[in-house]
Amino acid sequence: MAAPNRQDTKKFFENLSGAGKSIGVLTSGGDAQGMNGAVRAVVRMGIYVGAKVYFIHEGYQGMVDGGQNIEEATWESVSSMLQVGGTVIGSARCKEFRTLEGRVRAALNLVQHGITNLCVIGGDGSLTGANLFREEWSSLLETLRTTGQIDDEAVQRNSVLHIVGMVGSIDNDFCGTDMTIGTDSALHRIIEVVDAIGTTAQSHQRTFVLEVMGRHCGYLALVSALACGADWVFFPEMPPEDDWEEELCYKLSGNRADKKRLNIIIVAEGAIDRSNKPISADYIKDLVVRRLGFDTRVTILGHVQRGGTPSAFDRILASRMGVEAVLALLEASATTPACVVSLVGNQSVRLPLMECVQMTQEVQKAMDEKKFDEAVRLRGRSFENNLHTYRLLCSRKSDKDLPSSGFNVAVLNVGAPAAGMNAAVRSAVRVGIAEGHKMFAVNDGFEGFAKGQIKEIKWGDVGGWTGQGGSLLGTKRTLPAKHAEKIAEQIRIHNINAMLVIGGFEAFECVLELYELRAHHVEFCVPLCMLPATISNNVPGTDLTIGADTSLNAIVETCDRIKQSASGTKRRVFIIETMGGYCGYLANVGGLAAGADAVYIYEEPFDIRELQANVEHLTEKMKTSIQRGLVLRNENSNENFTTDFIYQLYSEEGKGVFDCRKNVLGHMQQGGAPSPFDRNFGTKVAAKAMQWITTTLKETYKEGRVFANTDDSACLLGMRRRAMVFRPVAELREETDFVHRIPKEQWWLKLRPLMKILAKYRTSFDVSDSAQLEHVTHVRPKEAAI
């Protein structure tokens, strides 16, 4: 963490100098968890590059009113904001900004502070207002000059207004980005409620109708339905068919006949039928009671969805977008259009703001014209994928109407348990059955496979699995090579035609071994697919693994409590050890989400001088108003500089300035219910994997048997930047460090400078990978992001 050499720093400032520039940051419209993280990132990145940064309190109202509403921000003034929900700089509706007179006053207030760079965090209405302000800027300045409120020099000095937007909205209703700041946190609130309701509903055999927010966008409803395995979902982009009342009652009564003790129906607040008439939660309740006589309750979640602390995902997203917004402002020229920083898959992009706004407006137009397929398409590939997966999982027919492929598919877990594994198994089983396969569950990984712990698993057997943590199938780390003969025998006995392996690095090694064993055992010449599921996020071929998000949330929640403790006692530094083996993902990204002062990882070697520099850095910090520190250490970051060693060093060197405490988080990082992201991610990738298995089975079925021995018939499905990609495991072998069980290249290391910058360290920062301005109309990759 020590400062880099002068050459690195010089290169950084040559590229990104903000000297002489002023940036205003405001939050507008409805609040959303994570907005504070975005404000913090803008302030600290802006100060870091030498710019002045100003809070504009109370949104556009504060810009119009001026005075104390426009306040210069300091590094310390954004401390402790990261974990706070809502927006601490305030948001307000502003009628005056809608008038020309109001915008003239706002322009004067910005000119008086020299603010010609504006970072707006809000929804489409707030961003549209910002763009209009920018387009009028020259005429607003001319009005101020004509009325004698500013002189010619001020006009020249402030001649161009640059605008960069970040979408802060729990609704995720803005086209051009897969996720908006606040959406993931809102899903956390919804799923917490659904999980809590599930226990009482089961106790009394109840049906619950839950109304979720989203205005005219059904994202929250659709994804929460996927994440909780809801029986039915109503949302505006795809209204139900005209006979939906009959279909709903038929499905609910069928589920109850299958001894399912609870029914969950999710309704978006903007849900409509095909005639554009609203469908309310109360109407659905009355229908179920009248037709079926079921004990039915309505729960309207309301503003609880906006509340609470932001999730780890939203903190990371907000921090990435805040830094990217400052880069965009620094790189903007007089001809650069107002842009919005977006997320596509796992990659930041910049898109022209008004292109996104126009497409967002097109969605509503399509719904008004009853062009519902068009509305779904305009929402984007992520929305389409969610809907496609939901339909796959809810398309169950009666047993006699199911197709029969004649194929048998085995599914098993390998390695350490990871939250989201059960959601993936449920999805795989149900999609497989819907496609006509017989699905077989293998208990205890390949060890259980060798022992014959294999049995057919039916649709109803996986009910309620989505929200369960750990591995209900059981999992072992055993590799298949030493049991090859027995596994081959079990494949023959059960006539297994394909395998889906869900797990971590061991699962990757298992599929690689099976691929290599094909030369000796023809039984392994079947389609093999692996889904990466491990908290460590150390599997090659994917940016993210199932379970890592849940683990990050556990780490961040613990760090929040620890920081609160440190704030109460003052001048205290906590040293936290995280899991991950040799992979520093959890430590590094957890540090970014928790606002850590230093993070030690194996991938970036450190020595005693850096440890000493970090102690000095914290000593200086204790002289400010922020009298607490947080240090994260990956468990295998260094064999000599152990957590105990670092704790003792900090305690000794900080004596008289701060005291230390240490925590080893251990296996609590694995446990608990999976996060909405992991439930949804596991569900969608498993559905996609089963479709690949179906296609590959058909392609490799010749002369009465399946024979698959090509490289591309043994694959790993992972998210890479913007796309979901199937990669042959043989190809991934060259990209893997098997000794340390990590990929040779890891994308998240590019986030490391962000964590250092936001902790006030000087560091080199490669801007060559920063987002470039694109067009929202560009065709997205065929294998699109989740």
Side-chain angles (χ1 to χ4, degrees):
M1 289 283 187
N5 61 43
R6 190 173 297 172
Q7 186 177 356
D8 281 341
T9 307
K10 186 179 178 184
K11 179 183 176 184
F12 178 81
F13 278 103
E14 280 177 355
N15 289 338
L16 293 172
S17 177
K21 296 184 178 181
S22 294
I23 300 170
V25 58
L26 66 98
T27 54
S28 178
D31 63 297
Q33 308 97 318
M35 279 183 163
N36 291 323
V39 170
R40 171 181 177 269
V42 169
V43 169
R44 291 194 169 177
M45 186 63 174
I47 292 171
Y48 184 84
V49 297
K52 281 187 175 183
V53 186
Y54 291 86
F55 292 136
I56 300 175
H57 293 279
E58 310 305 334
Y60 288 116
Q61 189 66 56
M63 195 191 297
V64 172
D65 293 343
Q68 293 182 338
N69 289 303
I70 301 177
E71 172 196 11
E72 186 171 355
T74 65
W75 195 276
E76 288 79 15
S77 63
V78 291
S79 175
S80 301
M81 282 176 66
L82 195 55
Q83 64 267 32
V84 178
T87 164
V88 299
I89 62 172
S91 178
R93 308 287 178 189
C94 181
K95 290 182 180 177
E96 291 168 274
F97 191 74
R98 296 174 184 269
T99 67
L100 182 60
E101 183 188 351
R103 293 194 291 276
V104 169
R105 285 169 58 194
L108 176 62
N109 288 325
L110 293 190
V111 168
Q112 287 173 344
H113 290 87
I115 299 171
T116 55
N117 297 277
L118 207 55
C119 185
V120 180
I121 308 163
D124 58 341
S126 303
L127 298 178
T128 303
N131 188 70
L132 173 64
F133 192 49
R134 175 185 172 277
E135 289 175 344
E136 291 182 341
W137 184 251
S138 295
S139 63
L140 297 175
L141 293 185
E142 182 58 29
T143 299
L144 291 170
R145 188 191 66 79
T146 304
T147 55
Q149 295 178 76
I150 61 173
D151 56 21
D152 291 344
E153 185 189 347
V155 171
Q156 190 172 359
R157 195 170 58 247
N158 299 279
S159 59
V160 180
L161 178 67
H162 301 296
I163 300 280
V164 173
M166 287 182 273
V167 191
S169 165
I170 68 165
D171 303 331
N172 202 30
D173 59 351
F174 193 82
C175 292
T177 186
D178 285 350
M179 287 291 276
T180 57
I181 296 167
T183 303
D184 186 70
S185 300
L187 285 169
H188 273 257
R189 301 296 93 78
I190 294 168
I191 296 305
E192 284 164 11
V193 170
V194 173
D195 285 351
I197 278 175
T199 56
T200 182
Q202 279 193 321
S203 301
H204 297 277
Q205 281 195 294
R206 281 187 177 141
T207 297
F208 268 88
V209 184
L210 271 75
E211 183 187 290
V212 301
M213 295 178 90
R215 286 196 306 174
H216 304 297
C217 178
Y219 185 89
L220 287 179
L222 180 55
V223 174
S224 58
L226 265 178
C228 73
D231 298 274
W232 199 281
V233 61
F234 294 89
F235 59 96
E237 290 87 351
M238 188 54 66
E241 299 297 333
D242 290 338
D243 62 346
W244 68 267
E245 288 99 337
E246 294 291 336
E247 192 67 30
L248 172 64
C249 292
Y250 175 78
K251 182 167 186 180
L252 293 180
S253 58
N255 286 344
R256 195 61 65 89
D258 288 342
K259 296 188 169 54
K260 184 175 181 182
R261 293 184 60 85
L262 79 153
N263 300 111
I264 299 288
I265 300 168
I266 306 283
V267 189
E269 62 181 350
I272 53 173
D273 64 16
R274 298 227 155 220
S275 302
N276 279 337
K277 282 177 54 183
I279 298 174
S280 71
D282 284 328
Y283 178 81
I284 296 164
K285 175 201 167 183
D286 293 343
L287 171 73
V288 174
V289 171
R290 188 174 70 252
R291 296 273 189 95
L292 301 175
F294 289 177
D295 187 1
T296 307
R297 298 285 191 275
V298 170
T299 299
I300 297 174
L301 271 63
H303 281 72
V304 71
Q305 294 158 88
R306 291 193 186 279
T309 59
S311 66
F313 183 98
D314 273 328
R315 299 182 197 201
I316 296 159
L317 177 66
S319 298
R320 289 174 71 179
M321 285 189 167
V323 169
E324 189 66 49
V326 173
L327 296 180
L329 286 170
L330 296 182
E331 293 170 9
S333 67
T335 57
T336 304
C339 77
V340 61
V341 179
S342 300
L343 185 77
V344 178
N346 191 36
Q347 189 176 7
S348 296
V349 297
R350 299 177 197 167
L351 299 170
L353 191 155
M354 289 315 294
E355 286 185 18
C356 296
V357 168
Q358 285 158 12
M359 185 171 279
T360 303
Q361 292 168 348
E362 285 294 314
V363 177
Q364 189 58 53
K365 184 181 175 186
M367 288 194 287
D368 292 340
E369 295 174 357
K370 302 180 184 178
K371 297 176 181 175
F372 299 113
D373 288 329
E374 177 72 1
V376 170
R377 188 189 66 78
L378 288 167
R379 281 286 182 220
R381 187 72 67 155
S382 176
F383 194 96
E384 283 185 289
N385 284 347
N386 284 311
L387 179 56
H388 175 67
T389 306
Y390 185 80
R391 282 173 167 166
L392 279 176
L393 291 167
C394 293
S395 61
R396 189 192 182 193
K397 305 172 177 132
S398 64
D399 289 345
K400 66 178 188 306
D401 293 330
L402 279 171
S404 177
S405 67
F407 296 125
N408 296 342
V409 181
V411 57
L412 64 158
N413 295 155
V414 174
M421 274 183 165
N422 297 321
V425 172
R426 169 187 174 271
S427 176
V429 167
R430 292 194 168 178
V431 172
I433 290 171
E435 298 200 346
H437 309 321
K438 264 192 181 180
M439 299 299 295
F440 286 83
V442 181
N443 297 117
D444 298 336
F446 281 103
E447 190 174 308
F449 209 132
K451 293 176 181 176
Q453 295 172 210
I454 305 165
K455 63 178 182 181
E456 188 178 355
I457 187 166
K458 300 289 186 69
W459 187 282
D461 295 335
V462 292
W465 281 33
T466 312
Q468 298 288 319
S471 167
L472 292 172
L473 288 183
T475 180
K476 299 274 186 181
R477 297 178 185 270
T478 309
L479 300 182
K482 63 181 179 180
H483 300 294
E485 293 285 354
K486 290 182 178 178
I487 293 169
E489 181 185 356
Q490 292 298 327
I491 290 174
R492 290 194 302 272
I493 291 170
H494 293 90
N495 189 28
I496 301 299
N497 306 116
M499 272 190 255
L500 179 65
V501 183
I502 303 168
F505 197 88
E506 293 92 349
F508 168 64
E509 290 180 301
C510 287
V511 174
L512 193 54
E513 280 192 2
L514 292 176
Y515 163 78
E516 291 167 346
L517 286 165
R518 283 174 169 178
H520 307 287
H521 298 277
V522 71
E523 292 83 359
F524 301 139
C525 293
V526 295
L528 304 169
C529 187
M530 185 229 158
L531 298 182
T534 168
I535 69 167
S536 302
N537 200 34
N538 64 331
V539 180
T542 187
D543 290 352
L544 297 169
T545 58
I546 300 164
D549 183 73
T550 303
S551 188
L552 276 177
N553 278 287
I555 291 167
V556 167
E557 187 179 333
T558 304
C559 288
D560 283 354
R561 293 178 182 180
I562 284 169
K563 284 169 72 176
Q564 191 175 48
S565 165
S567 297
T569 53
K570 304 292 184 188
R571 297 192 178 183
R572 178 166 287 174
V573 174
F574 275 89
I575 294 149
I576 312 294
E577 180 181 296
T578 66
M579 296 176 80
Y582 285 96
C583 179
Y585 175 82
L586 288 179
N588 190 69
V589 181
L592 179 61
D597 296 284
V599 176
Y600 302 115
I601 60 173
Y602 165 78
E603 291 88 349
E604 189 175 289
F606 56 96
D607 56 22
I608 194 70
R609 289 183 296 277
E610 288 197 35
L611 290 170
Q612 183 63 38
N614 296 154
V615 173
E616 291 170 4
H617 184 91
L618 281 164
T619 301
E620 288 300 308
K621 184 180 179 182
M622 295 299 163
K623 296 175 183 176
T624 71
S625 59
I626 318 170
Q627 296 182 346
R628 53 168 172 66
L630 183 67
V631 176
L632 271 62
R633 177 189 175 273
N634 166 245
E635 59 184 352
N636 288 347
S637 55
N638 188 294
E639 63 179 340
N640 295 314
F641 300 138
T642 63
T643 302
D644 282 337
F645 177 92
I646 293 173
Y647 164 70
Q648 289 164 2
L649 176 70
Y650 271 64
S651 297
E652 182 62 31
E653 295 296 315
K655 196 173 286 183
V657 181
F658 58 80
D659 65 352
C660 286
R661 297 288 186 274
K662 65 176 177 178
N663 279 70
V664 177
L665 299 185
H667 282 74
M668 64 152 285
Q669 294 161 82
Q670 283 186 348
S675 68
F677 181 93
D678 278 330
R679 298 182 196 202
N680 192 29
F681 189 39
T683 297
K684 288 199 284 187
V685 293
K688 197 171 188 71
M690 283 309 303
Q691 291 182 299
W692 177 86
I693 283 174
T694 298
T695 302
T696 310
L697 280 168
K698 291 174 181 175
E699 290 173 351
T700 56
Y701 184 75
K702 294 184 178 78
E703 299 176 5
R705 60 166 293 185
V706 173
F707 184 77
N709 68 339
T710 56
D711 287 2
D712 61 3
S713 64
C715 281
L716 178 149
L717 172 57
M719 177 193 279
R720 296 308 299 266
R721 294 174 75 85
R722 302 188 188 194
M724 292 301 302
V725 182
F726 289 94
R727 295 278 305 279
V729 290
E731 189 180 289
L732 292 171
R733 184 168 41 198
E734 302 306 312
E735 300 176 15
T736 307
D737 175 353
F738 284 93
V739 174
H740 298 100
R741 298 159 61 83
I742 53 175
K744 289 179 181 175
E745 290 188 13
Q746 301 186 86
W747 71 272
W748 54 264
L749 285 169
K750 291 176 181 175
L751 299 182
R752 190 154 174 80
L754 269 62
M755 189 278 300
K756 291 183 178 182
I757 287 168
L758 297 177
K760 211 174 184 179
Y761 285 89
R762 288 287 164 200
T763 184
S764 58
F765 186 55
D766 180 10
V767 295
S768 60
D769 197 50
S770 64
Q772 302 301 312
L773 191 66
E774 302 179 10
H775 290 283
V776 75
T777 50
H778 277 188
V779 177
R780 297 294 180 213
K782 197 171 180 182
E783 295 289 338
I786 280 199

